[in-house]
Amino acid sequence: MTAELHSRRTVLTTGAAVAGAAVGAVALTACGSDTPSSGSAAAPPAAAPGEALAALSDIEVGQAKAAKTADGKDVIVTRTAEGTAAAFSAICTHQGCAVVPEGAELKCPCHNSIFDAATGAVKKGPANQPLPSIAVKVANGQVVTA
């Protein structure tokens, strides 16, 4: 009878340990995935041509500013030179968090990826894809979608 109880305990203990390990592995896999969690982070936000994103005078040369499209999508607008600008999706290509402008860089607060604000290129991972660019031009002092 003792051997039978010991076998049941061993089976139950082993089963609980395996179940706990499986749950832990799933949680770690979800955190370490290279696919964006929002599903659409790889595609730039669609905006109608001529949609104003920001006033050029509100952004210093070499700096970036967070903005939104008319339909509420997060974008980043960077003043690349005196009369030119660039724009990118503000959604990190790693896990789908919104990046934050900090000088000439865009930083992801979730996993510390860093992007170049002028080009959208990855400067530091874990992200390994650049931020999708959005075609813009400067018209009448406004950065507008092209």
Side-chain angles (χ1 to χ4, degrees), residues 35-74:
T35 8
S37 60
S38 67
S40 63
E51 180 182 324
L53 298 176
L56 190 63
S57 61
D58 289 346
I59 310 166
E60 292 181 40
V61 174
Q63 305 293 301
K65 177 182 179 178
K68 289 194 181 280
T69 61
D71 63 354
K73 300 275 193 297
D74 292 321

Side-chain angles (χ1 to χ4, degrees), residues 45-101:
E51 180 182 324
L53 298 176
L56 190 63
S57 61
D58 289 346
I59 310 166
E60 292 181 40
V61 174
Q63 305 293 301
K65 177 182 179 178
K68 289 194 181 280
T69 61
D71 63 354
K73 300 275 193 297
D74 292 321
V75 296
I76 298 292
V77 181
T78 303
R79 188 169 182 178
T80 53
E82 192 59 38
T84 61
F88 306 94
S89 168
I91 305 305
C92 181
T93 55
H94 174 242
Q95 288 284 323
C97 298
V99 297
V100 178

Side-chain angles (χ1 to χ4, degrees), residues 31 94-95 97 108-113 124-126:
C31 183
H94 174 242
Q95 288 284 323
C97 298
C108 179
C110 296
H111 297 103
N112 300 315
S113 290
K124 176 182 169 273

